[in-house]
Amino acid sequence: MTISTCPPPEGGSSSGRGTALAGLATLASLFLAACGGDSDNVPPPPPPPPPPAVVTQVPASAAATDLALETFAFNLPQTENTEPLTLELVPTLPTSETEDPIATP
């Protein structure tokens, strides 16, 4: 540490200067800490989400009503290589004497 041979200014003391330097050093260390530290430990990016599951069967809940079956059919993704759906889980398809037939996409 260097000792100044100059006298302090008239009416002042050198303790204010030391306090100011300590405050400045504290602010600088906080700034550097906020900017981040070791950039070598960057976590790897998360893996991409899995593709949606392929629907191969009509669930029994979709065959409960005409509206449920229509909603299920319209919410299926449209792709070029879609396979026909099986009805193994559906005991009976809904029928109605008064409602219109189910629209097909």
Side-chain angles (χ1 to χ4, degrees):
M1 180 170 178
T2 307
I3 298 176
S4 174
T5 58
C6 297
E10 287 185 29
S13 70
S14 62
S15 66
R17 183 175 177 192
T19 305
L21 286 176
L24 183 60
T26 302
L27 285 175
S29 64
L30 288 174
F31 176 74
L32 290 175
C35 290
D38 190 12
S39 63
D40 294 337
N41 295 333
V42 177
V54 177
V55 178
T56 59
Q57 296 180 342
V58 176
S61 61
T65 64
D66 288 340
L67 180 61
L69 187 57
E70 187 174 344
T71 303
F72 172 76
F74 279 119
N75 286 327
L76 290 174
Q78 296 181 1
T79 61
E80 295 295 323
N81 57 355
T82 303
E83 295 292 323
L85 300 176
T86 63
L87 298 173
E88 295 171 1
L89 301 176
V90 179
T92 59
L93 290 174
T95 58
S96 174
E97 296 289 329
T98 59
E99 292 183 20
D100 292 333
I102 296 174
T104 56

